[in-house]
């Protein structure tokens, strides 16, 4: 039986995705810089309004936490939608076809639904708690690779938190020295989903916000992966520092790359 909340989230993601695909590369929208390398466009705001309207029309008593407008709806609700209307805004502004709409639903603080939609590739990643993870309706699983030496690992530099860069660079050097290769795409939600379907063997990043990781993290877990912070605990929801992949590779990354004794500053 279809999950009605997942169905509504998919509808909202596709509606916002249509706005992204119609405007990518057009250059007709206004761009603001909230902070260095943190952009917002008129299309971000329109996408968020579109998603919020669809969700609140279906569930009037729910609340919404969005990247641009923060909390909407019933702030006391047990149900909270967490949305990123355009994850990868810099890619979108530059006409790079790699961004997504990310929508998650939490019930009493537990993520129960996750949807990430890439409108350019027309790839829809979905998960509901306990029901598995899917891409365009086909079941997905994380990589089965057990050797970090052979792994393709996705990461990102902390360009929004440049005061952390000196602490991050030793971690990056350790990553380069211990894996086969690295990738950096500029879209955290898709990085998580690419890990969920095995395109990336693992992924780590620091300083993420709930709208960056909430949907994708559920999709990874429902695809058989695990998620921790750099200390190996589930506190990534508080710190925004996240490591995901299959259990073997996550443990290897924690042991060989995210060594808390040598990288204490990075763990802030």
């Amino acid at each position: 039986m279809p999950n009605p909340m997942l169905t509504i989230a998919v509808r909202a993601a596709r509606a916002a995705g249509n706005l992204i695909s119609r405007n990518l590369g057009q250059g007709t929208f206004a761009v603001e810089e909230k902070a260095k390398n943190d952009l917002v466009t008129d299309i971000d705001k329109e996408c968020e309004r579109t998603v919020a309207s669809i969700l609140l029309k279906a569930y009037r008593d729910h609340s919404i936490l969005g990247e641009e407008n923060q909390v909407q709806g019933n702030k006391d609700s047990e149900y909270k939608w967490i949305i990123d209307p355009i994850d990868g805004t810099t890619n979108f502004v530059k006409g790079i076809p790699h961004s997504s709409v990310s929508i998650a639903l939490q019930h009493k603080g537990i993520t129960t639904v996750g949807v990430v939609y890439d409108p350019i590739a027309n790839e829809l990643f979905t998960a509901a708690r306990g029901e598995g993870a899917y891409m365009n309706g086909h079941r997905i699983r994380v990589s089965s690779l057990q050797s970090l030496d052979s792994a393709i690992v996705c990461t990102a530099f902390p360009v929004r938190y440049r005061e952390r860069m000196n602490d991050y660079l030793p971690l990056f050097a350790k990553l380069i020295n211990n894996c086969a290769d690295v990738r950096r795409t500029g879209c955290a939600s898709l990085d998580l989903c690419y890990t969920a379907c095995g395109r990336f063997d693992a992924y780590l990043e620091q300083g993420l916000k709930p709208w960056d990781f909430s949907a994708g993290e559920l999709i990874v877990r429902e695809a058989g992966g695990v998620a921790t912070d750099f200390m190996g605990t589930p506190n990534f929801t508080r710190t925004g520092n996240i490591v995901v992949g299959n259990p073997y590779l996550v443990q290897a990354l924690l042991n060989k790359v995210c060594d808390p004794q040598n990288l204490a500053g990075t763990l802030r």
Side-chain angles (χ1 to χ4, degrees), residues 147-207:
S147 169
L148 184 58
D149 289 343
S150 304
I152 303 299
V153 180
C154 185
T155 188
F157 293 105
V159 291
R160 294 184 184 176
Y161 309 97
R162 295 178 187 239
E163 69 279 6
R164 300 183 181 185
M165 191 66 76
N166 288 339
D167 294 323
Y168 180 82
L169 290 176
L171 181 150
F172 185 73
K174 283 177 174 284
L175 181 60
I176 288 288
N177 289 333
N178 283 279
C179 72
D181 205 347
V182 298
R183 296 291 184 270
R184 192 263 198 256
T185 77
C187 183
S189 60
L190 287 179
D191 293 341
L192 287 160
C193 290
Y194 279 23
T195 306
C197 70
R199 292 173 179 169
F200 298 145
D201 296 301
Y203 163 65
L204 61 88
E205 187 168 350
Q206 68 175 157

Side-chain angles (χ1 to χ4, degrees), residues 3 21 31-32 45 69 79 120 127 133 152 158 177 187 213 222 226 244 262:
N3 182 313
S21 59
V31 181
E32 301 173 31
K45 297 173 183 179
N69 293 317
Y79 291 91
I120 308 304
I152 303 299
N177 289 333
C187 183
F213 65 74
E222 289 295 322
V226 296
V244 302
N262 296 329

Side-chain angles (χ1 to χ4, degrees), residues 116-134:
V116 175
Y117 179 49
D118 177 350
I120 308 304
N122 193 27
E123 290 184 337
L124 178 72
F125 297 89
T126 60
R129 186 175 175 83
E131 298 178 18
Y134 297 83

Side-chain angles (χ1 to χ4, degrees), residues 85-149:
I86 305 181
D87 187 17
T89 297
T90 299
N91 285 346
F92 173 73
V93 168
K94 300 297 288 185
I96 300 169
H98 191 78
S99 56
S100 71
V101 183
S102 178
I103 303 174
L105 174 64
Q106 290 185 346
H107 180 228
K108 296 182 178 179
I110 297 174
T111 306
T112 58
V113 164
V115 172
V116 175
Y117 179 49
D118 177 350
I120 308 304
N122 193 27
E123 290 184 337
L124 178 72
F125 297 89
T126 60
R129 186 175 175 83
E131 298 178 18
Y134 297 83
M135 183 185 75
N136 291 349
H138 299 284
R139 188 72 181 262
I140 57 176
R141 299 289 296 180
V142 294
S143 167
S144 60
L145 190 69
Q146 297 184 22
S147 169
L148 184 58
D149 289 343

Side-chain angles (χ1 to χ4, degrees), residues 19-31 41-43 89-96:
L19 291 169
I20 294 173
S21 59
R22 288 204 305 267
N23 287 278
L24 179 71
Q26 298 301 308
T28 56
F29 44 81
V31 181
T41 71
D42 291 348
I43 309 303
T89 297
T90 299
N91 285 346
F92 173 73
V93 168
K94 300 297 288 185
I96 300 169

